[in-house]
Every structure is written in C-alpha cells, then in structure tokens.
Amino acid sequence: MHFTFVTLFSSLIEGYFSDSILKRAIAKGILDISYLNPRDYSTNKHHKVDDTAVGGGAGMVMNPQPLFDCLDDLQKRDGDVHIVFVTPVAKPFTQNDAKRLATKSHVAFVSGRYEGIDERVIERYADEVFSIGDYILTGGELASLVLCDAISRNVSEVLGNSESLEIESFESELLEAPSFSKPKQYAGLSVVSEYLKGNHSKIRSLKSALSEAKTKFFRPEQLLKHKTRKSYEK
Ligand code: ADE
C-alpha cells in the first residue's frame, strides 16, 4: 500500500517511519511512503503558499494555487489515489475508517498549516475529511500520521504474530480488558489472580466483564452503542 503525505514539513513526519513496525513493513515492501511539498508547486516568485484570509480573520490561510497544482500532479501520477484532508472541521476518524481505508491501494493525506486551507481545495479534491479529536493542533502533520498508523496496522502482514489484530479495543465498541506481563508479582502488586489459573473459559468471561466495566467508566456512550447493537443482533 502506498501513502503520500502532502505537507510543507515532511521532516515532521519522516522520523516516525524510521523505527519499529512501520520501518519493517517498508523494508519488506508492504508499505511505501512518499512526500509532496505544495511549496514546490507555487508559481509565486518567493514560493509563497499562504495569504491573509479573504473577509478578515486572524492568521494565514493556505492558497489554492500550490495545492491545486500539487494535487493535479498527484492525480495524474495515480488516478486511483484516495485523497484525505485532516482538519478539526470534520467527522472524527474511527477504527472502522482505518479498516476501510486499509483496503485502498494509495491514500494521500493533505496536512494544512497556518489557520487552514482555502475551502475550494477541499471542495475540489477531498474524497474524505477527518478530524482526530476535539482540539486544535498547530498543523495537520500529526493528524495525518495518526491516520496513517491506524490504517497501516490493518494492512495484511504489517503486524507480525506477536502484534496480532485479534481482540482489540473498538472492534466491538468495547475497550480492551487489562493486560499484564511477567513477573506475576511486581513491587507488591499482583496480576489479576484469575489470569493465573489457566481456566481459559473463566479468563474469557472475566475479561469480558472487565472490558465492560472499563468501557462503562471511560466511555459510557460506547457501552450503550455495544448494547444496542447486541440487542438488534438477537
Ligand atoms: N489539524 C489541526 N487540528 C486537527 C485535528 N484535531 N484533527 C485533524 N487535523 C487537525
């Protein structure tokens, strides 16, 4: 799978792929990353990419021209590219989106800086627009990376056996039950004793109860969603 980051600051992103699971996936040829800088497409003699907002308002907005030319070029190179914009003015990105986008062959993330991107760019090029949460970042690079990471781990063979996708938070709306590693006792604290007894059906039902309890405490709306879906499935 191919990812393209459209950004003025690729150096903010590159380091993330220089270690661990995604580095290995790139080395194996499962993932492939490239970068496009809208500044390289600016026809302004100083390679300017932003200006003050029409109609007033604080801050600088990214101009349409460099992004139109950059995204035209991207689409010319690959007619199948799926273009995603990240902005706080969008629906929240979810695990279902991550799984769905993992089936695409090429996803491009467009990161804005300054106060945002001229709306005409989004109107013309966006296949989808996502927010990663109800807070404002200084730019879209972190949000693009968050999406790329969440999508990548759903691409087959990116995760090894020891990093399996099997039971994960949000797969059934519920948060995962707590996990423990060795030793069984540490700093006077023990792992949940039922986990030690080897009765796998008991462990499964305890994990399911703990999972519900965690969800009720941290994300009550997710528990409601889970229960509603379960009652429809009956
Ligand atoms: N850019 C700035 N803030 C953002 C957010 N919360 N989500 C996605 N992109 C953003």
Side-chain angles (χ1 to χ4, degrees):
M1 178 169 187
H2 191 130
F3 293 106
T4 299
F5 290 88
V6 177
T7 169
L8 296 169
F9 303 105
S10 60
S11 61
L12 294 179
I13 295 174
E14 281 157 6
Y16 195 69
F17 300 105
S18 69
D19 220 325
S20 190
I21 295 171
L22 299 187
K23 178 186 179 184
R24 185 183 65 200
I26 292 166
K28 282 190 184 168
I30 302 164
L31 299 181
D32 175 31
I33 312 286
S34 53
Y35 301 91
L36 284 177
N37 188 339
R39 199 178 294 286
D40 295 337
Y41 293 83
S42 173
T43 53
N44 176 277
K45 66 173 185 251
H46 304 296
H47 299 288
K48 220 166 105 77
V49 289
D50 62 325
D51 215 326
T52 52
V54 174
M60 305 293 272
V61 178
M62 287 179 73
N63 297 132
Q65 180 275 315
L67 281 164
F68 265 60
D69 288 359
C70 177
L71 295 173
D72 277 347
D73 186 28
L74 177 65
Q75 286 180 326
K76 217 177 294 156
R77 293 184 205 189
D78 181 0
D80 263 352
V81 62
H82 191 78
I83 302 182
V84 171
F85 283 68
V86 284
T87 154
V89 188
K91 66 181 175 188
F93 182 74
T94 66
Q95 182 68 9
N96 279 341
D97 296 314
K99 282 184 171 174
R100 182 172 50 77
L101 291 177
T103 64
K104 307 273 181 203
S105 59
H106 185 180
V107 175
F109 303 104
V110 185
S111 303
R113 279 261 143 186
Y114 316 115
E115 279 309 298
I117 294 177
D118 188 299
E119 191 71 18
R120 291 167 290 185
V121 183
I122 299 170
E123 240 169 64
R124 172 67 63 92
Y125 295 98
D127 290 306
E128 295 188 69
V129 186
F130 290 112
S131 164
I132 62 158
D134 293 341
Y135 40 80
I136 313 289
L137 303 165
T138 55
E141 283 75 11
L142 267 179
S144 295
L145 262 181
V146 166
L147 266 59
C148 181
D149 185 283
I151 295 166
S152 295
R153 59 197 299 291
N154 286 285
V155 172
S156 63
E157 289 170 41
V158 164
L159 297 187
N161 287 340
S162 62
E163 301 134 359
S164 123
L165 270 176
E166 259 168 47
I167 309 162
E168 293 208 301
S169 291
F170 301 112
E171 292 295 315
S172 64
E173 299 94 13
L174 297 181
L175 304 184
E176 250 177 278
S179 2
F180 302 89
S181 76
K182 283 139 193 133
K184 295 166 187 169
Q185 291 282 343
Y186 187 75
L189 300 168
S190 175
V191 310
V192 171
S193 59
E194 201 67 49
Y195 284 21
L196 299 172
K197 295 183 189 156
N199 181 333
H200 292 288
S201 106
K202 270 196 167 167
I203 293 174
R204 243 191 329 273
S205 75
L206 176 64
K207 280 193 170 180
S208 156
L210 291 172
S211 173
E212 284 207 13
K214 284 241 173 202
T215 312
K216 188 173 180 184
F217 187 76
F218 289 115
R219 299 291 301 276
E221 82 291 355
Q222 284 288 128
L223 184 60
L224 192 63
K225 222 167 148 185
H226 175 75
K227 293 207 156 154
T228 310
R229 184 174 61 79
K230 286 277 175 197
S231 74
Y232 272 116
E233 282 173 4
K234 268 184 199 157

